[in-house]
Amino acid sequence: MKSKHLHLLFLVFILHQLPAQSTASEQITKLTIASPQLDSSKTIWVYLPTNYKKTKKSYPVIYMHDAQNLFDAETSYVVEWEVDEYMDKLTDNKSIIIGIEHGNAKRIDELTPYKHEKHGGGNGDAYLAFIKNTLKPHIDITYRTKPEAEHTSIFGSSLGGLLSFYAVIKYPETFGNAGVFSPAFWINPEIFELVEATVIPETSKFYFLAGTDEGDTMIPKLEKMIKLLQSKGVNELQFESHTIEGGQHNEKLWATHFGEAYQYLISKN
C-alpha cells in the first residue's frame, strides 16, 4: 500500500502558494497532478481550514469543478463564487475544499457522462476515475481527511451539477453527497434512465438549486428528477431542493447560495 501512495506522490510535481496579486485566500495552495485517465495534467486548488495547522483534526472534503471560478476574481469567468471568503469566516463546520480546474475546450467532454449528438462530450467517467483513483488518494495521504463516502461531497453547477449528481448515483461508495446547482440534465437525458435502473443508498444526500430564469427546461427537468428520486425511495431527509425566483444561470446565483448548500452537505459530518 505504501508503494502505491509513493507512486501517487510522484505524480504531483508542482506545489506552490498563489501569487501575491491573487484575490484568493492565503489558505489556498495550487498543485498540478498528472491524470493518466485523461491523458493530461490537471491544476488543483486546495483550500485548508483556517485552523488546520493549529489542530490535529481530520476534515470532510468537498470536490468542486471549475476551480477557476471558485476562489479568485482574476481567474473567474465573470465573478467568483467566493468560496474561500465564506469558508474563512466559519468558526465551525469546517472542511477541506478541492477545486479542479476545467479543461477549457475539454470542459464539455470532462463534465458529461454521455456523448451528445451535437455537442459531443461523454468522458465524464474518465474524469471521475481521475478524482477517485488519482486525486482523492493523493489528497487523503497528504492532508488530514475523513476519507469515507459519507464525508466526501462533490459539487458543481451547470455541467458540473449534472456530473456531481451522476457521481453520487454511479459511485456512492466514493461520493456520499452532491451539491447540484442548475444541473444541465437536458444535455444527457440518459441520466434519467440511470436513476431508474439504480438502487440509491439511504446514505446519499443531494442539494438541488435552480433559478426560474435559466431557460424553459431547467425547472421542469429538475422537478422530474426529484419525482423520480422519490419514486426510487429517496426520502425527504436525503435531499433539499430550492427554486430561486428570478435566478439566472450564472456565478452570481451560485455564489449567493453556496453557503446554504455547503452547510447542508456537511451537516452529518
Side-chain angles (χ1 to χ4, degrees):
M1 184 61 71
K2 286 186 177 179
S3 63
K4 179 179 179 182
H5 287 155
L6 287 172
H7 174 68
L8 289 166
L9 289 175
F10 283 129
L11 292 176
V12 182
F13 52 91
I14 299 178
L15 178 61
H16 57 81
Q17 294 288 335
L18 290 171
Q21 67 269 25
S22 170
T23 61
S25 166
E26 63 181 14
Q27 297 303 120
I28 294 176
T29 56
K30 294 171 73 175
L31 62 87
T32 300
I33 184 168
S35 172
Q37 300 87 353
L38 299 170
D39 193 25
S40 67
S41 60
K42 299 294 287 182
T43 300
I44 309 299
W45 301 52
V46 179
Y47 174 90
L48 296 179
T50 53
N51 64 350
Y52 182 85
K53 293 182 179 179
K54 300 176 183 178
T55 74
K56 295 183 178 180
K57 290 174 55 178
S58 295
Y59 296 88
V61 181
I62 300 182
Y63 291 87
M64 300 187 69
H65 317 292
D66 299 323
Q68 295 98 320
N69 298 332
L70 301 179
F71 307 105
D72 195 341
E74 275 194 347
T75 61
S76 64
Y77 176 64
V78 180
V79 296
E80 60 162 307
W81 284 42
E82 299 184 355
V83 169
D84 48 339
E85 285 87 349
Y86 176 81
M87 298 298 296
D88 279 352
K89 293 176 183 177
L90 293 180
T91 57
D92 54 15
N93 291 342
K94 297 176 182 288
S95 298
I96 294 171
I97 309 291
I98 305 299
I100 307 161
E101 286 200 3
H102 62 70
N104 296 305
K106 295 182 178 180
R107 182 175 183 269
I108 291 179
D109 194 41
E110 293 175 352
L111 298 183
T112 52
Y114 307 101
K115 186 173 183 178
H116 187 274
E117 182 178 3
K118 178 180 178 182
H119 300 291
N123 208 28
D125 280 303
Y127 173 84
L128 291 174
F130 160 67
I131 300 176
K132 291 165 67 254
N133 301 330
T134 300
L135 178 59
K136 186 177 187 299
H138 171 71
I139 297 300
D140 289 339
I141 193 88
T142 306
Y143 304 102
R144 299 192 309 274
T145 70
K146 296 181 178 180
E148 301 84 5
E150 65 179 305
H151 304 301
T152 304
S153 301
I154 186 165
F155 194 159
S157 62
S158 192
L159 294 178
L162 164 69
L163 196 72
S164 296
F165 177 75
Y166 175 84
V168 172
I169 298 297
K170 187 76 178 288
Y171 305 107
E173 72 284 356
T174 300
F175 306 106
N177 320 290
V180 185
F181 279 8
S182 308
F185 290 146
W186 66 270
I187 198 170
N188 279 169
E190 299 93 338
I191 192 74
F192 292 93
E193 299 172 15
L194 175 67
V195 173
E196 182 63 49
T198 301
V199 176
I200 301 171
E202 293 181 0
T203 52
S204 297
K205 288 178 60 177
F206 308 90
Y207 189 99
F208 299 103
L209 179 136
T212 57
D213 290 358
E214 295 195 71
D216 295 336
T217 66
M218 177 63 71
I219 300 301
K221 287 192 179 297
L222 179 54
E223 291 176 344
K224 177 182 176 181
M225 183 59 77
I226 291 171
K227 289 180 181 178
L228 178 56
L229 289 172
Q230 290 174 315
S231 75
K232 297 292 296 182
V234 174
N235 64 63
E236 61 184 11
L237 299 178
Q238 291 181 256
F239 75 94
E240 280 194 14
S241 181
H242 297 271
T243 299
I244 308 304
E245 189 65 36
Q248 299 179 349
H249 197 80
N250 56 35
E251 283 76 14
K252 180 181 178 181
L253 173 67
W254 306 323
T256 300
H257 297 280
F258 168 76
E260 302 151 23
Y262 170 81
Q263 292 296 339
Y264 178 80
L265 293 174
I266 57 94
S267 61
K268 66 180 179 182
N269 292 314

